[in-house]
Amino acid sequence: MRNLGWTLHGNGKTVEAGAVVSPDERLTWPRTIGIGMQHVVAMFGATLLVPTITGFPVSTTLLFSGIGTALFLLITRGRIPSYLGSSFAFLAPLGATAADGPAAQLGAVLCVGVVLALIGLVVKFAGQRVLDAAMPPVVTGAVVVLIGLNLAPAATTSFEAQPLVAAVTLVAILLATAVGPGLVGRLGILLGVVVGWVFAAVTGGIAQPRLDALSAASWIGLPEFRGPSFELSVILVALPVVIVLVAENVGHVKAVAAMTGKNLDDVAGDALIADGLATTLAGAGGGSGTTTYAENIGVMAATRVYSTAAYWVASITAIVLAFSPKFGALIFTVPDGVIGGATLVLYGLIGLLGVRIWTDAKVDFTDPVNLTVVAAALVAGIGDLTLSIGSVELGGIAWGSVGILLGYPIVSALARTAGNRGR
């Protein structure tokens, strides 16, 4: 039985032991809608935390995440179930360029999206081996680590602004993540933010102007759209994020392939193109850059339902919620202490994603080339090395990424020429 392109899985009510609901299948619509709502809950905390931290419009970001998800499902032809939420990789460059204004930041997000889409086109027609050659795991991991840890001072500054609220938030996140069962553990960040938020409200930790803005906001209205401008220095700081987005998208494709038992390598390029276009669209209209969401992989693993029908439900739900200014104003009542407690974990998680790339690929750090080039790049990035070329000022993310992207192949080639490296 087919309906809207999905085959009904079995009787549509149960998933037998050892079986999964494939992307082209679905359960009954009430069950599909329920699972789609779970995906909304899973992406909610992380997707809305990014604009809360960066100052981007929450409703606009939510709108473009919903539109981006629909675009992703269309471009991948329904073969890869995924929600495109706000990428945390943008936090560091957006934080580093806050003084340049939102228009310049949006221009940088847009350019990252364009580059990601172009990489997707190359991968689609030339194969994934191009990525493996240009960005081996030692390089990819280093860039991800330095992006995650570059903004560590911003997390500690927010933590220090309201230490008690931040501590409550942090403890709640750690407890939910460490001992929470099933979906509770996967939603640890969201639950921790809610606990800290409620604690701040009870103890008077929410700024009165934010509460006044919440009272004045309308229940229904258009999201706030903004246009981009283009400044080279801001763009160069943000471009290394492309490496993170490539790693996240390719990793998502491989994870879904492993869980569903289907070979999806041929649509890796489509996934990159789709996320690139979604990020480009967000940058053009005022939203945060997007990426595939690991949080939603958790929901799929728990339910064994990989139906893209559920993601269409999540996409439509996000778009509907975006047209409530009251909702956006509510999110902006999240106090600095809550953000500090959450980002203390989040920025570290981004950095550890890079470490995981190294460990999964068994990168050899007894090799002096790997050791020295990565070491220099990491200190430049984490220490936020800031130097100017003419009128263009570049920070640690840019210098660290350029250092590893250019330095690694050059030093590696020199070592092989000198006979000091076997590969």
Side-chain angles (χ1 to χ4, degrees):
M1 174 180 177
R2 281 191 176 272
N3 189 2
L4 296 178
W6 297 285
T7 302
L8 193 66
H9 177 86
N11 62 8
K13 297 179 180 180
T14 58
V15 184
E16 295 181 4
V20 298
V21 179
S22 298
D24 59 347
E25 297 179 324
R26 66 169 178 84
L27 297 177
T28 60
W29 280 114
R31 289 172 174 77
T32 297
I33 291 171
I35 293 169
M37 292 299 181
Q38 285 189 74
H39 283 301
V40 172
V41 173
M43 68 82 182
F44 231 53
T47 292
L48 300 184
L49 191 58
V50 173
T52 301
I53 294 170
T54 60
F56 278 32
V58 171
S59 297
T60 312
T61 295
L62 189 60
L63 173 66
F64 283 113
S65 76
I67 293 174
T69 299
L71 191 64
F72 186 94
L73 295 171
L74 289 172
I75 292 176
T76 59
R77 303 179 299 284
R79 294 181 62 192
I80 305 176
S82 179
Y83 191 90
L84 292 192
S86 302
S87 171
F88 285 107
F90 283 96
L91 288 177
L94 292 179
T97 58
D100 295 283
Q105 292 178 311
L106 288 171
V109 170
L110 188 153
C111 289
V112 167
V114 170
V115 172
L116 181 61
L118 291 175
I119 291 174
L121 285 172
V122 173
V123 172
K124 182 176 178 64
F125 293 107
Q128 194 173 325
R129 64 183 181 277
V130 176
L131 281 180
D132 297 335
M135 293 185 295
V138 62
V139 170
T140 306
V143 174
V144 176
V145 170
L146 69 88
I147 285 176
L149 301 186
N150 175 266
L151 211 58
T156 56
T157 298
S158 295
F159 197 106
E160 292 164 357
Q162 291 179 304
L164 182 57
V165 172
V168 169
T169 303
L170 177 60
V171 169
I173 290 173
L174 295 177
L175 288 176
T177 303
V179 302
L183 191 59
V184 172
R186 296 188 184 97
L187 298 178
I189 299 293
L190 173 61
L191 293 175
V193 167
V194 171
V195 169
W197 198 0
V198 171
F199 178 79
V202 171
T203 58
I206 299 179
Q208 189 59 45
R210 297 188 184 188
L211 294 174
D212 294 339
L214 174 62
S215 298
S218 303
W219 283 101
I220 299 175
L222 290 174
E224 178 186 348
F225 295 106
R226 298 173 177 173
S229 65
F230 301 95
E231 296 182 20
L232 182 60
S233 60
V234 181
I235 293 170
L236 291 176
V237 169
L239 278 180
V241 171
V242 170
I243 296 174
V244 184
L245 299 182
V246 168
E248 289 177 336
N249 276 275
V250 173
H252 183 88
V253 171
K254 290 186 177 297
V256 172
M259 290 186 290
T260 60
K262 296 179 182 293
N263 187 334
L264 299 173
D265 286 350
D266 61 317
V267 284
D270 291 325
L272 294 171
I273 292 170
D275 190 18
L277 292 179
T279 296
T280 301
L281 190 62
S288 299
T290 62
T291 189
T292 50
Y293 254 35
E295 289 88 341
N296 297 91
I297 287 184
V299 175
M300 290 190 288
T303 61
R304 290 179 290 139
V305 177
Y306 299 89
S307 172
T308 53
Y311 281 97
W312 278 106
V313 172
S315 169
I316 294 169
T317 301
I319 292 171
V320 171
L321 284 174
F323 287 88
S324 175
K326 180 76 76 176
F327 177 75
L330 174 65
I331 299 301
F332 267 118
T333 63
V334 176
D336 292 340
V338 172
I339 292 174
T343 54
L344 204 68
V345 177
L346 288 170
Y347 296 155
L349 288 176
I350 297 171
L352 289 176
L353 173 60
V355 176
R356 180 179 174 182
I357 292 172
W358 286 334
T359 56
D360 287 348
K362 296 181 173 59
V363 173
D364 180 11
F365 279 113
T366 63
D367 184 331
V369 174
N370 291 342
L371 199 61
T372 55
V373 178
V374 169
L378 287 184
V379 172
I382 297 170
D384 199 23
L385 175 67
T386 303
L387 300 171
S388 298
I389 300 178
S391 60
V392 178
E393 184 178 83
L394 299 177
I397 294 175
W399 286 118
S401 300
V402 169
I404 188 70
L405 284 168
L406 298 182
Y408 179 79
I410 293 172
V411 176
S412 182
L414 290 173
R416 281 194 296 269
T417 301
N420 294 333
R421 203 173 198 220
R423 54 186 176 85

